[in-house]
Amino acid sequence: MNISFDLDSTIIPNGDEFKTETIGWIGKLFKVEKIRKGSKDLILKLQNDGHKVNIYTTSFRSKSRIRRTLKYYGISVNRIVNQTENQKILKSKNIYSTKYPPAFNFDVHIDDLPGVKIEGGKYNFKTIIIHPSDKNWADIIINELKTI
Ligand SMILES: [Mg+2]
């Protein structure tokens, strides 16, 4: 499957909402952003299982910055869609949803916001909603993917 992950409050913390992977001195020097503990193992597992992993965010961070952050942790993803591209594509398709994964051929989108699930119901796309406090978030994702 072609899986997309939200960034903020799903992979990258907004404050101290979840535990993060460790950052070495080089990471600190280059001000690498923190990522959720377990992200690397989860993404590598999904890729090993044959899934494609993508980032789909409404953040205006540049794609190269996002790619660099992930690379620091040894993660490489297929495609990155940031808000600049998202707005452009959704506008061209006259879609008034904050996110619309099918526009980028993503089969299922993982996000922290229940509103995205509501949009999924309205626009007919699949979502997995993970709360920042979900400690067994990786297992939830792996199990939910089996039902899709
Ligand atoms: Mg989010």
Side-chain angles (χ1 to χ4, degrees):
M1 254 180 298
N2 212 9
I3 303 166
S4 57
F5 278 86
D6 168 50
L7 271 190
D8 291 297
S9 295
T10 299
I11 296 287
I12 295 179
N14 173 24
D16 289 327
E17 53 195 349
F18 41 65
K19 284 187 177 169
T20 53
E21 304 270 2
T22 47
I23 300 184
W25 66 272
I26 293 179
K28 285 179 183 152
L29 188 68
F30 288 98
K31 297 191 165 49
V32 166
E33 290 190 87
K34 291 177 178 173
I35 64 165
R36 193 176 197 154
K37 196 173 174 64
S39 303
K40 181 179 176 177
D41 286 349
L42 173 64
I43 291 171
L44 294 186
K45 183 195 165 20
L46 294 175
Q47 290 171 330
N48 271 331
D49 289 348
H51 298 292
K52 281 183 182 159
V53 174
N54 310 272
I55 300 294
Y56 184 11
T57 175
T58 50
S59 143
F60 285 100
R61 287 177 185 87
S62 74
K63 295 185 188 193
S64 57
R65 179 179 171 199
I66 296 168
R67 210 169 276 283
R68 234 180 303 127
T69 297
L70 296 173
K71 201 99 219 163
Y72 171 79
Y73 295 98
I75 299 168
S76 59
V77 293
N78 236 55
R79 182 171 180 183
I80 296 171
V81 176
N82 65 7
Q83 182 65 338
T84 311
E85 183 178 12
N86 182 46
Q87 279 181 339
K88 196 175 133 199
I89 301 294
L90 297 201
K91 199 179 169 199
S92 74
K93 293 180 183 288
N94 289 319
I95 291 163
Y96 300 97
S97 178
T98 53
K99 283 183 179 170
Y100 184 64
F104 309 96
N105 294 318
F106 300 150
D107 303 312
V108 54
H109 175 69
I110 299 162
D111 207 290
D112 64 299
L113 292 180
V116 175
K117 192 180 188 70
I118 295 168
E119 287 182 340
K122 193 174 164 191
Y123 288 97
N124 199 26
F125 61 81
K126 293 186 179 76
T127 56
I128 298 174
I129 304 302
I130 297 294
H131 193 268
S133 66
D134 283 337
K135 293 224 164 34
N136 55 340
W137 68 293
D139 292 332
I140 294 171
I141 291 170
I142 289 165
N143 289 328
E144 287 225 16
L145 283 173
K146 286 177 193 158
T147 70
I148 291 173

